[in-house]
Short mmCIF file of all heavy atoms in Angstrom, two decimals:
data_model
loop_
_atom_site.label_atom_id
_atom_site.label_comp_id
_atom_site.label_asym_id
_atom_site.label_seq_id
_atom_site.Cartn_x
_atom_site.Cartn_y
_atom_site.Cartn_z
N ARG I 15 -12.90 25.53 6.27
CA ARG I 15 -11.48 25.70 6.48
C ARG I 15 -10.80 24.36 6.38
O ARG I 15 -11.25 23.36 6.98
CB ARG I 15 -11.20 26.33 7.83
CG ARG I 15 -11.50 27.81 7.88
CD ARG I 15 -11.02 28.42 9.18
NE ARG I 15 -11.74 27.75 10.26
CZ ARG I 15 -11.56 28.01 11.53
NH1 ARG I 15 -10.71 28.93 11.88
NH2 ARG I 15 -12.24 27.38 12.48
N TRP I 16 -9.68 24.31 5.67
CA TRP I 16 -8.98 23.03 5.41
C TRP I 16 -7.50 23.23 5.59
O TRP I 16 -6.91 24.21 5.14
CB TRP I 16 -9.26 22.61 3.97
CG TRP I 16 -10.69 22.64 3.60
CD1 TRP I 16 -11.38 23.66 3.04
CD2 TRP I 16 -11.65 21.63 3.87
NE1 TRP I 16 -12.70 23.33 2.88
CE2 TRP I 16 -12.88 22.11 3.37
CE3 TRP I 16 -11.60 20.36 4.43
CZ2 TRP I 16 -14.04 21.36 3.45
CZ3 TRP I 16 -12.75 19.60 4.50
CH2 TRP I 16 -13.95 20.08 4.03
N LEU I 17 -6.89 22.29 6.27
CA LEU I 17 -5.43 22.26 6.42
C LEU I 17 -4.88 21.32 5.33
O LEU I 17 -5.27 20.17 5.25
CB LEU I 17 -5.01 21.75 7.80
CG LEU I 17 -3.51 21.56 8.00
CD1 LEU I 17 -2.77 22.88 7.90
CD2 LEU I 17 -3.25 20.87 9.29
N ILE I 18 -3.98 21.85 4.53
CA ILE I 18 -3.33 21.07 3.48
C ILE I 18 -1.92 20.75 3.93
O ILE I 18 -1.18 21.63 4.36
CB ILE I 18 -3.25 21.89 2.15
CG1 ILE I 18 -4.60 22.46 1.77
CG2 ILE I 18 -2.64 21.05 1.05
CD1 ILE I 18 -5.69 21.44 1.58
N ARG I 19 -1.58 19.45 3.93
CA ARG I 19 -0.21 19.01 4.31
C ARG I 19 0.37 18.19 3.14
O ARG I 19 -0.26 17.28 2.66
CB ARG I 19 -0.25 18.13 5.55
CG ARG I 19 -0.69 18.85 6.79
CD ARG I 19 -0.59 17.96 7.97
NE ARG I 19 0.83 17.80 8.31
CZ ARG I 19 1.28 16.88 9.16
NH1 ARG I 19 0.47 16.03 9.72
NH2 ARG I 19 2.55 16.80 9.42
N VAL I 20 1.60 18.57 2.77
CA VAL I 20 2.30 17.84 1.73
C VAL I 20 3.65 17.39 2.32
O VAL I 20 4.41 18.19 2.84
CB VAL I 20 2.56 18.74 0.48
CG1 VAL I 20 3.33 17.98 -0.57
CG2 VAL I 20 1.24 19.23 -0.06
N TYR I 21 3.89 16.12 2.26
CA TYR I 21 5.14 15.53 2.77
C TYR I 21 6.29 15.85 1.83
O TYR I 21 6.19 15.59 0.63
CB TYR I 21 4.98 14.03 2.96
CG TYR I 21 6.19 13.37 3.52
CD1 TYR I 21 6.64 13.61 4.82
CD2 TYR I 21 6.92 12.49 2.76
CE1 TYR I 21 7.73 13.01 5.35
CE2 TYR I 21 8.04 11.87 3.27
CZ TYR I 21 8.45 12.13 4.56
OH TYR I 21 9.57 11.52 5.07
N LEU I 22 7.36 16.43 2.34
CA LEU I 22 8.49 16.83 1.51
C LEU I 22 9.71 15.96 1.70
O LEU I 22 10.75 16.21 1.14
CB LEU I 22 8.86 18.29 1.82
CG LEU I 22 7.78 19.31 1.59
CD1 LEU I 22 8.26 20.70 2.00
CD2 LEU I 22 7.32 19.30 0.14
N GLY I 23 9.60 14.95 2.54
CA GLY I 23 10.74 14.07 2.79
C GLY I 23 11.36 14.33 4.17
O GLY I 23 10.77 15.01 5.01
N ARG I 24 12.57 13.85 4.36
CA ARG I 24 13.25 14.02 5.65
C ARG I 24 14.38 15.01 5.51
O ARG I 24 15.03 15.08 4.48
CB ARG I 24 13.83 12.69 6.16
CG ARG I 24 12.78 11.74 6.66
CD ARG I 24 13.46 10.53 7.27
NE ARG I 24 12.50 9.67 7.89
CZ ARG I 24 12.25 9.68 9.20
NH1 ARG I 24 12.90 10.49 9.97
NH2 ARG I 24 11.35 8.88 9.71
N ASP I 25 14.64 15.77 6.61
CA ASP I 25 15.77 16.67 6.67
C ASP I 25 17.01 15.82 6.82
O ASP I 25 17.08 14.95 7.71
CB ASP I 25 15.58 17.60 7.86
CG ASP I 25 16.66 18.68 7.93
OD1 ASP I 25 17.84 18.35 7.67
OD2 ASP I 25 16.32 19.84 8.24
N ARG I 26 18.03 16.06 6.01
CA ARG I 26 19.23 15.23 6.03
C ARG I 26 20.02 15.41 7.32
O ARG I 26 20.69 14.51 7.78
CB ARG I 26 20.11 15.55 4.84
CG ARG I 26 19.51 15.09 3.57
CD ARG I 26 20.38 15.41 2.39
NE ARG I 26 19.74 14.95 1.16
CZ ARG I 26 20.20 15.22 -0.03
NH1 ARG I 26 21.30 15.87 -0.18
NH2 ARG I 26 19.53 14.80 -1.08
N GLU I 27 20.00 16.62 7.89
CA GLU I 27 20.79 16.91 9.08
C GLU I 27 20.13 16.38 10.34
O GLU I 27 20.75 15.75 11.19
CB GLU I 27 21.03 18.40 9.21
CG GLU I 27 21.89 18.94 8.06
CD GLU I 27 21.98 20.45 8.08
OE1 GLU I 27 21.40 21.06 8.99
OE2 GLU I 27 22.60 20.99 7.19
N THR I 28 18.84 16.64 10.51
CA THR I 28 18.15 16.26 11.74
C THR I 28 17.35 14.99 11.64
O THR I 28 16.87 14.46 12.64
CB THR I 28 17.18 17.39 12.18
OG1 THR I 28 16.17 17.54 11.15
CG2 THR I 28 17.90 18.67 12.39
N ASN I 29 17.14 14.49 10.40
CA ASN I 29 16.38 13.25 10.15
C ASN I 29 14.92 13.39 10.57
O ASN I 29 14.25 12.41 10.84
CB ASN I 29 17.03 12.03 10.81
CG ASN I 29 16.68 10.74 10.10
OD1 ASN I 29 16.41 10.76 8.90
ND2 ASN I 29 16.61 9.67 10.84
N LYS I 30 14.39 14.62 10.60
CA LYS I 30 13.00 14.83 10.92
C LYS I 30 12.19 14.97 9.64
O LYS I 30 12.70 15.38 8.59
CB LYS I 30 12.83 16.13 11.72
CG LYS I 30 13.41 16.02 13.13
CD LYS I 30 13.13 17.28 13.92
CE LYS I 30 13.68 17.14 15.32
NZ LYS I 30 13.41 18.35 16.11
N HIS I 31 10.89 14.67 9.74
CA HIS I 31 9.97 14.82 8.58
C HIS I 31 9.75 16.29 8.30
O HIS I 31 9.59 17.09 9.21
CB HIS I 31 8.62 14.16 8.91
CG HIS I 31 8.72 12.69 9.12
ND1 HIS I 31 8.74 11.80 8.09
CD2 HIS I 31 8.77 11.95 10.26
CE1 HIS I 31 8.79 10.57 8.60
NE2 HIS I 31 8.84 10.64 9.90
#
Side-chain angles (χ1 to χ4, degrees):
R15 284 188 299 180
W16 310 93
L17 173 65
I18 308 302
R19 293 184 74 192
V20 179
Y21 181 67
L22 300 177
R24 286 186 173 263
D25 187 318
R26 291 181 181 173
E27 296 172 1
T28 63
N29 205 30
K30 291 184 179 181
H31 297 278

